[in-house]
Amino acid sequence: MTSTTTAMGLFDFFKKKEKQPTESTPSTEDLLKEVEVVPGVVLPKALAAHWNEIERTRAPYISIKATPKKPQSVQESSFGYYPCLPKGFPYPTDSDGNFMYPLAQINCNNLPALENYPRSGYLQSYIATNDVYGLNFDNQQEQSTFRVLYFTNDEVKDYQTDFTFLEGVMKYEYSPIHKPHTLEFSLKEEYFGLLDARAEDQHLFNLEEVAHKYPSIAKELEDYVWNHYESNGHKMGGYAYFTQEDPRHNENEDYILLLQIDSDKDIMWGDVGVANFFIHPDDLATKDFSMVMYNWDCS
């Protein structure tokens, strides 16, 4: 009786051992399968598992849709068109006395709400008509080869309408804006901030570190993020995009993105580059644009 019981016990032991489920490792295909972690945000499953970390990088921004089209009025938001200047206000000139190119005008009355960004008035940027688009390599905050102006609605109730003196400037061959554009705005969110010094300095998320937890697909994960979350395009706020490196490293680290103008079919910064205007948050809150930092680069 005892030997039979023992034999049955051994039989049951091996039977149970045989049926024990084994823990399966997710396949490469499964780890790279895209899932929507929150509405509008899609990630490979491997990265979605780190959503709590990635979510810390969330940054709201104003997306700018630029359409090659002549504005109907100087009051419209535009790239490469005449500005809405108070009547009698001297048109911006560079350090040599030459009229600057009207790069961008944002009618802030049409902007969606974004903390500290103006909700009224007109924000304008101008650049010198030279072959470096007004960039001062020695001092990117000295507004002698570029200018940023802001006017309240009341200040431009009576505005200039005669810009015949700008005929040569508007046809300048080195202008990055090849034709006038009208602008539309929408509030969006973005993540990662791959090239942005502020995201890096705050150690919000280390893509390389997380990707290498999945050695067989590390490159695919990194490529996915670089291809889908570059922070490029025309925008205000959020993360900045560069073809080289962020000039705020080790200096002006607190500055945030005021305006970014990217290259596209009818806008070209050198060899497909991008331009950025940065400002200190305190200056933005008080609408002081005298210390804006201007940069552009290309690959």
Side-chain angles (χ1 to χ4, degrees):
M1 185 73 177
T2 305
S3 59
T4 306
T5 305
T6 303
M8 287 296 291
L10 286 170
F11 177 77
D12 289 341
F13 170 77
F14 284 114
K15 190 177 178 184
K16 286 177 182 176
K17 191 171 183 181
E18 228 174 59
K19 288 189 171 181
Q20 280 181 343
T22 55
E23 215 173 284
S24 60
T25 303
S27 66
T28 295
E29 184 180 349
D30 188 52
L31 287 170
L32 290 173
K33 184 178 180 181
E34 294 182 351
V35 294
E36 189 173 41
V37 288
V38 294
V41 180
V42 176
L43 292 169
K45 273 189 177 182
L47 290 178
H50 298 269
W51 174 243
N52 287 341
E53 301 164 63
I54 296 170
E55 191 176 22
R56 293 185 303 174
T57 69
R58 184 183 68 86
Y61 71 100
I62 297 171
S63 174
I64 301 175
K65 179 184 177 183
T67 303
K69 179 183 176 184
K70 183 179 178 181
Q72 296 182 346
S73 163
V74 297
Q75 293 177 304
E76 284 189 50
S77 296
S78 61
F79 289 158
Y81 193 66
Y82 304 116
C84 189
L85 283 175
K87 186 166 283 189
F89 186 90
Y91 187 89
T93 56
D94 62 22
S95 53
D96 295 322
N98 300 312
F99 294 125
M100 290 190 182
Y101 182 80
L103 181 69
Q105 172 170 276
I106 306 296
N107 182 336
C108 302
N109 299 281
N110 298 326
L111 290 180
L114 185 61
E115 185 178 6
N116 287 336
Y117 287 76
R119 294 295 309 282
S120 64
Y122 293 79
L123 179 64
Q124 303 164 353
S125 58
Y126 303 79
I127 56 175
T129 52
N130 57 33
D131 58 0
V132 292
Y133 310 133
L135 181 61
N136 185 333
F137 295 94
D138 297 321
N139 187 343
Q140 292 175 291
Q141 290 177 269
E142 184 185 343
Q143 295 196 26
S144 58
T145 52
F146 80 96
R147 192 75 47 80
V148 177
L149 300 176
Y150 174 78
F151 300 104
T152 65
N153 289 340
D154 286 340
E155 288 174 320
V156 290
K157 275 185 177 178
D158 194 11
Y159 54 84
Q160 298 182 34
T161 55
D162 182 8
F163 290 99
T164 52
F165 61 91
L166 285 182
E167 184 176 350
V169 172
M170 302 306 282
K171 294 178 181 178
Y172 188 63
E173 62 177 322
Y174 289 115
S175 167
I177 312 287
H178 299 163
K179 58 181 66 174
H181 288 64
T182 58
L183 310 180
E184 298 174 67
F185 309 102
S186 58
L187 191 63
K188 295 184 178 181
E189 294 179 345
E190 60 184 345
Y191 298 84
F192 294 102
L194 296 171
L195 295 166
D196 194 292
R198 296 175 69 244
E200 184 179 327
D201 294 340
Q202 293 171 24
H203 308 290
L204 295 178
F205 183 77
N206 190 318
L207 173 61
E208 185 177 349
E209 184 179 290
V210 170
H212 279 71
K213 290 180 179 179
Y214 309 89
S216 64
I217 56 167
K219 186 179 186 305
E220 287 87 343
L221 293 177
E222 291 185 24
D223 287 348
Y224 184 94
V225 176
W226 280 103
N227 290 333
H228 292 81
Y229 295 91
E230 262 193 322
S231 302
N232 56 341
H234 312 309
K235 63 199 294 188
M236 300 177 73
Y239 294 119
Y241 170 71
F242 309 92
T243 62
Q244 299 291 330
E245 61 180 3
D246 193 332
R248 294 172 293 175
H249 271 300
N250 304 318
E251 192 176 347
N252 299 321
E253 291 177 351
D254 293 337
Y255 275 49
I256 61 177
L257 184 61
L258 175 65
L259 174 66
Q260 176 170 288
I261 303 177
D262 207 345
S263 290
D264 58 27
K265 182 182 176 182
D266 297 294
I267 301 174
M268 192 61 59
W269 296 91
D271 186 13
V272 196
V274 60
N276 316 96
F277 292 85
F278 301 104
I279 190 170
H280 193 280
D282 294 343
D283 292 338
L284 180 59
T286 59
K287 299 182 180 62
D288 178 1
F289 299 95
S290 62
M291 291 298 292
V292 167
M293 177 183 180
Y294 165 54
N295 178 76
W296 73 268
D297 64 20
C298 63
S299 54

